[in-house]
């Protein structure tokens, strides 16, 4: 009997446990798969090329009996929850980025999420990160052993002549013994251990952007995966507990960045005013804690809606400055924005202004940020009022900003309405609601009644039962007729809102109880899995209480 359960996720990558009979292994890992699956070497017709046509696959492909269950992009899948699936010849996909991304998406759609993925003869220290980033869990040593037979010295940066081992670039046990095969196996083990660490830290994308630089095909694979936004976005958490490091050109293509921008444009309900002021970002997050933004806020004095122009997020309304990733990102500061960067951010601004028109738009910007604002204004037919006179924080610039807003009506920034609309895609009446508390203990109250607590690490609102009463629909998880005694497991879920992502706050509803909690799986995984914790429960209330 086989069983697989993911315990930690970072996009498609997982840390999990696979059980085969009495054997239990922690994944991702490279193992002696002959010992784990002794009958595999005798199996016929699993080794059909990935690029074979449909007729060939129909006539010759066989999934085999027992574990692992072979699968192919053009063959119906017989894999069930808990199985280990084998994708033969996946090493050939590494040389064709378009096919790699396409085949991966097809296989992920047809195979249950709670299965372990085995890529035979594919893992080298230079490919392990990409394979795990793509959702593979289990590897063997065949690829590194073949490299050893070819007299190649394997590192995460690539494969080199064996003579490099004598230069001291690696001090592992294999190098000290002059044993190339041992070094290559240890190098693969070390790379997988490092990738595992990055998954646990929630920073695998940053490692992937670093590792792919050594191989053009890997850069291509990552770009093709990024283009399939719908496929990648549903597996990514809505928030992370660590900062996002956007250090490469590919960073702006992360699905999390597009999701944030799309929600600002399509969901977010801005504070009621018809005057907007565009402000530069700051190194300190949230922006309002920075010295420069204290100057800006004093000059604006609540007479305009404050919008921060920033790379790579595009646009961050003041109401959302604490939400991930707006309150949790870091970028190299050079003062230079390239053409692709400008076009990407200008498009976000133009889409925002089309969705949220203002009577006046004031640009308190300089350099690349001003260029972006001018590009967006031209696209939308907006007359941009520029108030910078040199540096944005200079006394002359701040005076010009204040003067430009002379006579405009003051209003209170509606952080509650803005956050709820972005997070739950709904509008609520915020009359009588207030944010109380400081820093690590902030909450939304109506009088003395708490409606939401605010997660200090992510900026998300955590509704109480009374808070959920303000959110009429969406972000619900339906369960069977039981009263939760702990967390909700995937088998107990009967239905859920398809918009739910890992990290979302959800309301659990069942015939016998309701509960509040945080999703540990996205909606697709909740509905297609038969094992694993789906929701971390915070509070439970029996129906009728």
């Amino acid at each position: 009997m086989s069983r697989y359960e993911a315990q930690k996720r970072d996009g498609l990558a997982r840390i999990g446990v696979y059980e085969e009979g009495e054997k239990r292994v922690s994944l991702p890992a490279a193992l002696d798969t002959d010992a784990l699956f002794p009958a595999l070497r005798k199996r016929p017709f699993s080794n059909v090329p990935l690029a074979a046509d449909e007729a060939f696959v129909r006539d010759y492909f066989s999934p085999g009996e027992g574990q692992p269950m072979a699968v192919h992009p053009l063959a119906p899948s017989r894999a069930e929850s808990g199985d280990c699936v084998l994708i033969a010849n996946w090493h050939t996909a590494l040389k064709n980025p378009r096919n790699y991304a396409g085949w991966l998406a097809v296989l992920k759609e047809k195979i249950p999420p709670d299965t372990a993925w085995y890529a035979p003869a594919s893992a080298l220290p230079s490919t392990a990160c990409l394979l795990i980033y793509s959702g593979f869990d289990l590897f063997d040593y065949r690829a590194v052993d073949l490299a050893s037979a070819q007299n190649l010295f394997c590192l995460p940066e690539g494969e080199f002549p064996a003579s490099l081992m004598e230069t001291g670039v690696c001090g592992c046990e294999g190098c000290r013994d002059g044993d190339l095969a041992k070094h290559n196996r240890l190098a693969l083990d070390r790379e997988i251990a490092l990738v595992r660490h990055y998954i646990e830290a929630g920073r695998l994308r940053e490692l992937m952007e670093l590792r792919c630089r050594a191989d053009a095909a890997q850069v291509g694979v990552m770009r093709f995966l990024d283009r399939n936004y719908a496929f990648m976005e549903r597996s990514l958490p809505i928030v992370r507990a660590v900062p996002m490091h956007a250090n490469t050109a590919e960073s702006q293509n992360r699905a999390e960045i597009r999701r944030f921008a799309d929600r600002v444009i399509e969901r977010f309900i801005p504070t009621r005013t018809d005057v907007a002021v565009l402000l530069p970002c700051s190194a300190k997050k949230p922006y309002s804690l920075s010295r420069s933004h204290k100057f800006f806020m004093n000059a604006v004095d609540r007479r305009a809606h404050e919008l921060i122009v920033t790379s790579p997020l595009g646009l961050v309304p003041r109401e959302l400055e604490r939400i991930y990733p707006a309150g949790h990102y870091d970028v190299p500061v050079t003062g230079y924005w390239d053409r692709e960067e400008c076009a990407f951010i200008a498009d976000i601004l133009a889409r925002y202004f089309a969705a949220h028109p203002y009577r006046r738009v004031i640009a308190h910007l300089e350099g690349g940020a001003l260029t972006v604002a001018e590009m967006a204004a031209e696209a939308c037919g907006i007359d941009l009022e520029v108030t910078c006179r040199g540096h944005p924080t200079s006394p002359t610039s701040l005076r010009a900003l204040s003067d430009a807003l002379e006579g405009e009506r003051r209003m209170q920034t509606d952080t509650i309405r803005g956050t709820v609309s972005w997070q739950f895609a709904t509008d609520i009446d915020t009359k009588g609601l207030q944010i109380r508390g400081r820093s690590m203990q902030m909450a939304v109250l109506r009088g003395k009644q708490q409606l939401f607590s605010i997660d200090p690490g992510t900026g998300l609102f955590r509704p109480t039962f009374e808070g959920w009463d303000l959110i009429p629909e969406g972000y619900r998880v339906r369960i069977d007729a039981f009263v939760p005694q702990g967390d909700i497991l995937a088998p107990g879920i009967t239905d859920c809102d398809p918009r739910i992502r890992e990290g979302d706050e959800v309301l659990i509803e069942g015939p016998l109880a309701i509960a509040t909690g945080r999703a540990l799986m996205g909606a697709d995984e909740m509905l297609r899995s038969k094992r694993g914790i789906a929701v971390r429960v915070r509070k439970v209330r029996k129906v009728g209480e």
Side-chain angles (χ1 to χ4, degrees), residues 153-186:
F153 181 72
C154 297
L155 293 172
E157 294 79 12
E159 293 71 54
F160 304 90
S163 57
L164 187 64
M165 185 171 67
E166 301 171 5
T167 65
V169 297
C170 175
C172 74
E173 182 181 348
C175 289
R176 294 196 301 270
D177 295 343
D179 188 332
L180 179 64
K182 181 187 287 187
H183 160 81
N184 284 342
R185 286 196 171 203
L186 288 174

Side-chain angles (χ1 to χ4, degrees), residues 267-272 414-435 444-446 451-452 461-463 466-473 476:
R267 289 186 174 196
F268 171 69
I269 300 174
T271 298
R272 292 184 179 92
D414 199 341
T415 300
I416 300 171
R417 190 182 187 212
T419 303
V420 169
S421 62
W422 185 93
Q423 185 176 344
F424 297 107
T426 192
D427 191 10
I428 67 170
D429 182 2
T430 58
K431 186 177 181 180
L433 306 188
Q434 291 183 315
I435 295 179
V444 177
L445 305 179
R446 179 195 286 131
L451 301 175
F452 304 92
F461 283 9
R462 298 182 292 209
E466 292 75 19
W468 279 110
D469 289 339
L470 298 178
I471 302 169
E473 59 184 7
R476 265 64 170 177

Side-chain angles (χ1 to χ4, degrees), residues 265 345-355 372 375-377 379-380 382:
I265 295 162
I345 298 171
D347 177 66
I348 293 174
L349 265 66
R351 290 165 57 206
Y352 177 85
F353 287 131
V372 164
M375 292 169 62
C380 296
I382 293 173

Side-chain angles (χ1 to χ4, degrees), residues 44 60 63 113 131 137 146 156-157 188 206 385:
Y60 293 103
L131 291 168
D137 310 284
L146 176 60
E157 294 79 12
L188 177 58
E206 283 91 325
E385 304 175 40

Side-chain angles (χ1 to χ4, degrees), residues 451-468:
L451 301 175
F452 304 92
S453 61
I454 302 177
D455 187 324
T458 65
L460 289 187
F461 283 9
R462 298 182 292 209
T464 63
F465 289 116
E466 292 75 19
W468 279 110

Side-chain angles (χ1 to χ4, degrees), residues 2 9 29 35 56 121 153 194 230 245 267 289 311 331 335 479 515 532:
S2 61
R9 300 162 183 80
F56 188 93
F153 181 72
L194 180 66
H245 295 278
R267 289 186 174 196
L289 297 182
S311 178
V331 295
I479 61 172

